[in-house]
């Protein structure tokens, strides 16, 4: 009787673990949906001024001006710990792919002075813009901070990462976009 | 944002050694020394039967300490000003230095084994023949490696299994190309190392239950027996650490990274591999030296 009880307990435990693992696996393997956002409109160059104010439309125009090379857009806020954590990596990526791909940061829901100081703290040299209205957030359907998008050489979004991005992933995405643009 | 992939990896780290422990059980051995038994009220008169030990109970605190120390090292190197912000420390996805974490986790495990032995007045050990903490640590090696392999194998759920572009392999989420899953290769290699260490442990007198009952069993493992139990354990641990360092070094070449040079983690792994290799060679040379002097000793006797 004791043996039967213990066997049943093990079976229930095993089923519970399998269901839990299956649920976690399904959630972990979800592909994030890509927003309906692409380079468009009159070509606009990247503003030379740090933290230049942009809208969603402006960002489309800027990306249109960068066509011919992959563009990485990172949505961040100085108040967001994962954004802070990935800043040194993004700077390394920008330096590493200079001339091959462009990295653009967009600060949102932030005080522009605090955000500018934040960039100075990390010695960020790649261009960063500022979205005070939340228009870029809505256009790019940002759900979490930070979010990183990769646009291919034609200005079409090919991938996004919700939350902090790893070195392997961001390099993998850029290399993938570079390969696609070469082929 | 909840990182479900990392959660699943943590489940794998717990489940894989727990399941493997059914084939490679860890046992806690009460001392057979009457003087130790006499000092310990709990074991007086009790038969010195070994008890099964839960690997999970042993490693849960060392793993947490290892992850925390590894994360603190990353922050100290990349963004020291974040060290005072708990929220920044918690984002372990942003990087955990492997080797400092491993050292901290091993030290914590050694401390808890030492403390346990102290509390029971040296009455228990994970080895049938030695009360040494180092020997007990070596006994946990194979299951610890299995846990690490479980972590690497679940790369597919975490961030995607990256590697060199290959026609055969996996396509990480958001990418158009397939890549050779280096995480899976690392897991396979680490499992192979775990099996070889388990074989070595089974042959080592200090870690073999059969040899505890029958000291004559030493004769079956002449290579391992050339050293004291502590030296055997140190060699086993160096072999495991060195093998992992070599595996990680080779894997780092294949993983996508910024710049053309080696990454910090890669450079550290190469350094650890070289250091453990040198120490192992020295220890093996000393063993050769021991063997060379042994005939003279026997002649003198």
């Amino acid at each position: 009787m004791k043996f039967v009880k213990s066997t049943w307990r093990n079976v229930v435990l095993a089923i519970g673990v399998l269901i839990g693992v299956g649920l976690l696996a399904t959630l972990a393997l979800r592909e994030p949906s890509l927003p309906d956002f692409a380079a468009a409109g009159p070509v606009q160059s990247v503003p030379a001024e740090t933290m230049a104010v942009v809208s969603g439309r402006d960002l489309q125009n800027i990306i249109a001006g960068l066509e011919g090379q992959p563009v990485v857009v990172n949505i961040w806020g100085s108040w967001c710990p994962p954004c802070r954590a990935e800043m040194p990596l993004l700077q390394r990526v920008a330096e590493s792919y200079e001339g091959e791909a462009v990295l653009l940061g967009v600060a949102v829901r932030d005080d522009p002075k605090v955000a500018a100081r934040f960039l100075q703290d990390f010695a960020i040299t790649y261009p960063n813009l500022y979205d005070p209205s939340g228009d870029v957030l809505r256009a790019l359907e940002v759900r979490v901070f930070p979010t990183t998008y990769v646009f291919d050489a034609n200005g079409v979004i090919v991938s996004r990462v919700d939350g902090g991005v790893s070195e392997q992933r961001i390099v993998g995405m850029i290399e993938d976009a570079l390969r696609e643009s070469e082929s | 944002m909840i990182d479900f992939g990392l959660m699943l990896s943590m489940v794998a780290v717990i489940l894989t050694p727990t399941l493997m422990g059914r084939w490679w059980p860890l046992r806690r051995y009460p001392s057979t020394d009457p003087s130790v038994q006499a000092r310990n009220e709990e074991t007086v008169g009790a038969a010195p039967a070994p008890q099964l030990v839960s690997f999970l109970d042993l490693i849960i605190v060392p793993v947490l300490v290892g992850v925390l120390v590894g994360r603190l090292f990353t922050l100290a190197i990349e963004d020291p000003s974040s060290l005072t912000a708990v929220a920044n420390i918690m984002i372990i996805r942003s990087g955990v230095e492997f080797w400092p974490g491993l050292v901290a986790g091993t030290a914590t495990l050694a401390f808890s084994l030492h403390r346990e032995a102290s509390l029971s007045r040296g009455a228990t050990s994970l080895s049938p023949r030695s009360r040494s903490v180092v020997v007990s640590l070596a006994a946990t090696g194979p299951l610890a490696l299995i846990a690490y392999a479980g972590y690497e194998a679940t790369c597919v759920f975490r961030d995607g299994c990256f590697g060199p572009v290959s026609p055969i392999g996996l396509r990480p989420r958001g990418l158009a190309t397939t890549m050779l899953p280096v995480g899976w290769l690392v897991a396979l290699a680490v499992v192979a190392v775990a099996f070889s260490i388990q074989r070595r442990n089974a042959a080592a007198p200090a870690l073999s239950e059969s040899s505890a009952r029958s000291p004559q069993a030493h004769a079956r493992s002449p290579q391992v027996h050339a050293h004291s139990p502590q030296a055997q354990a140190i060699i086993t641990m160096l072999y495991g650490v060195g093998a992992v360092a070599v595996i990680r070094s080779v894997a780092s070449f294949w993983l996508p990274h910024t710049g053309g040079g080696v990454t910090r983690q890669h450079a550290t792994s190469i350094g650890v591999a070289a250091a453990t290799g040198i120490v192992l060679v020295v220890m093996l040379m000393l063993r050769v030296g021991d063997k060379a002097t042994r005939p003279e000793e026997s002649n003198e006797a």
Side-chain angles (χ1 to χ4, degrees):
Chain A
M1 195 67 185
K2 201 174 177 180
F3 171 75
V4 173
K5 255 188 181 177
S6 135
T7 308
W8 269 109
R9 197 182 59 196
N10 287 344
V11 168
V12 169
L13 189 70
I15 291 171
V17 168
L18 279 177
I19 290 172
V21 166
L23 195 68
L24 278 177
T26 310
L27 289 167
L29 291 175
R30 273 180 313 174
E31 288 262 6
S33 59
L34 300 179
D36 187 18
F37 185 97
V43 170
Q44 194 178 324
S45 58
V46 180
E49 178 198 349
T50 301
M51 305 303 286
V53 171
V54 288
S55 64
R57 175 68 64 189
D58 292 332
L59 188 62
Q60 283 182 310
N61 300 345
I62 290 169
I63 294 169
L66 294 167
E67 272 188 31
Q69 56 189 333
V71 178
V72 179
V73 175
N74 175 245
I75 309 294
W76 61 277
S78 62
W79 43 267
C80 142
C83 305
R84 187 181 178 87
E86 70 180 13
M87 277 291 162
L89 167 66
L90 295 177
Q91 178 60 29
R92 284 205 307 274
V93 168
E95 287 167 7
S96 184
Y97 286 97
E98 197 174 1
E100 293 178 272
V102 175
L103 193 71
L104 274 180
V106 182
V108 285
R109 292 183 188 165
D110 216 332
D111 178 331
K113 284 181 185 167
V114 175
R117 205 165 46 240
F118 177 84
L119 293 175
Q120 277 179 355
D121 287 349
F122 286 100
I124 300 297
T125 56
Y126 61 85
N128 270 275
L129 311 167
Y130 178 54
D131 167 34
S133 64
D135 192 41
V136 172
L137 282 189
R138 285 186 292 277
L140 284 172
E141 298 170 14
V142 174
R143 290 188 292 263
V144 294
F145 284 86
T147 300
T148 305
Y149 300 86
V150 175
F151 292 76
D152 67 11
N154 299 315
V156 176
I157 293 184
V158 287
S159 52
R160 77 183 272 174
V161 178
D162 289 339
V165 65
S166 69
E167 182 169 355
Q168 288 172 30
R169 175 153 285 277
I170 195 163
V171 171
M173 290 193 310
I174 294 172
E175 291 287 342
D176 202 45
L178 285 170
R179 271 191 298 272
E180 289 296 302
S181 62
E182 281 168 11
S183 60
Chain B
M1 187 190 166
I2 301 167
D3 192 337
F4 294 106
L6 191 60
M7 280 173 71
L8 198 67
S9 289
M10 288 298 117
V11 171
V13 165
I14 291 166
L15 273 186
T16 45
T18 304
L19 290 173
M20 205 62 206
R22 287 181 169 270
W23 289 278
W24 297 347
L26 275 177
R27 291 194 172 87
R28 189 176 277 120
Y29 297 88
S31 176
T32 49
D33 183 345
S35 63
V36 174
Q37 284 189 326
R39 277 188 279 125
N40 193 322
E41 291 170 11
E42 290 171 17
T43 55
V44 166
Q51 298 165 327
L52 280 174
V53 180
S54 159
F55 183 69
L56 181 60
D57 291 347
L58 275 181
I59 63 153
I60 199 123
V61 174
V63 163
L64 291 175
V65 170
V67 169
L68 178 67
V69 170
R71 179 72 190 132
L72 289 175
F73 259 80
T74 301
L75 283 179
I77 295 166
E78 292 190 346
D79 181 20
S81 59
S82 284
L83 283 169
T84 51
V86 176
N88 292 332
I89 294 169
M90 294 293 283
I91 306 160
I92 59 172
R93 191 182 180 180
S94 298
V96 172
E97 295 295 308
F98 181 81
W99 294 107
L102 182 69
V103 169
T106 309
T108 309
L109 180 59
F111 175 74
S112 65
L113 290 170
H114 172 72
R115 190 165 171 270
E116 185 185 81
S118 301
L119 288 175
S120 62
R121 296 169 194 157
T124 64
S125 161
L126 294 184
S127 154
R129 291 178 58 83
S130 172
R131 306 286 106 188
S132 162
V133 169
V134 180
V135 176
S136 287
L137 270 180
T140 64
L143 289 179
L145 286 168
I146 292 292
Y148 174 55
Y151 175 81
E152 288 289 353
T154 48
C155 58
V156 68
F157 300 108
R158 226 166 32 246
D159 201 29
C161 291
F162 291 91
V165 176
S166 152
I168 307 163
L170 300 173
R171 187 182 62 80
R173 284 190 305 284
L175 267 65
T177 42
T178 52
M179 292 178 163
L180 200 66
V182 169
W184 287 7
L185 300 180
V186 168
L188 275 176
V190 171
V191 166
V193 174
F195 269 87
S196 71
I197 289 182
Q198 179 62 21
R199 251 186 96 178
R200 187 187 163 84
N201 281 355
L207 291 164
S208 161
E209 197 177 343
S210 61
S211 67
R213 294 184 189 128
S214 153
Q216 291 82 358
H218 293 203
R220 288 203 298 267
S221 54
Q223 287 176 333
V224 177
H225 181 51
H227 284 287
S228 68
Q230 285 85 350
Q232 287 167 35
I234 289 168
I235 288 173
T236 301
M237 286 198 294
L238 283 173
Y239 167 59
V241 169
V244 169
V246 169
I247 291 165
R248 284 178 63 87
S249 299
V250 174
S252 296
F253 275 115
W254 285 341
L255 290 171
H257 57 272
T258 53
V262 294
T263 61
R264 187 177 66 242
Q265 297 259 24
H266 185 192
T268 318
S269 291
I270 292 173
V272 171
T276 49
I278 290 167
V279 177
L280 262 176
V281 166
V282 169
M283 288 192 79
L284 292 172
M285 280 169 73
L286 288 175
R287 189 174 78 174
V288 171
D290 280 353
K291 276 182 178 172
T293 55
R294 206 167 292 149
E296 291 169 22
E297 288 167 8
S298 61
N299 287 343
E300 283 170 17

